[in-house]
Amino acid sequence: MKFFRKKEKTIPIPEDCTDFLIEIDKSICTGEMTVGFRNPKTGRLLYAELVGSDEEVEAYKKKYGR
């Protein structure tokens, strides 16, 4: 029985990424997935992280409160 839960910390969305969507890039060769904020003008991922599963993608979204 747990009395205390570890509270998940949310990080505020960076000011330069407030209007950007969180998207996933997946490598064709290796299947490696990278998640981050997609800049629609340049097409680059900002604040990108390497993830290995859908659970890690959801954790990234929760981390930024989305």
Side-chain angles (χ1 to χ4, degrees):
M1 186 160 105
K2 286 189 173 183
F3 291 106
F4 301 101
R5 285 189 193 175
K6 189 175 183 180
K7 196 172 189 179
E8 294 182 22
K9 294 182 181 180
T10 57
I11 299 172
I13 297 173
E15 289 182 22
D16 56 339
C17 296
T18 54
D19 297 332
F20 299 165
L21 296 174
I22 294 177
E23 293 188 5
I24 301 168
D25 273 351
K26 190 170 184 179
S27 171
I28 295 172
C29 299
T30 62
E32 211 173 56
M33 292 191 299
T34 307
V35 64
F37 292 94
R38 170 90 53 206
N39 183 338
K41 292 180 182 176
T42 63
R44 294 186 65 205
L45 282 180
L46 302 172
Y47 302 96
E49 289 183 15
L50 189 64
V51 293
S53 65
D54 291 333
E55 291 84 22
E56 291 179 357
V57 172
E58 292 302 317
Y60 182 86
K61 290 179 181 179
K62 284 182 184 179
K63 181 169 88 170
Y64 285 103
R66 289 205 174 172

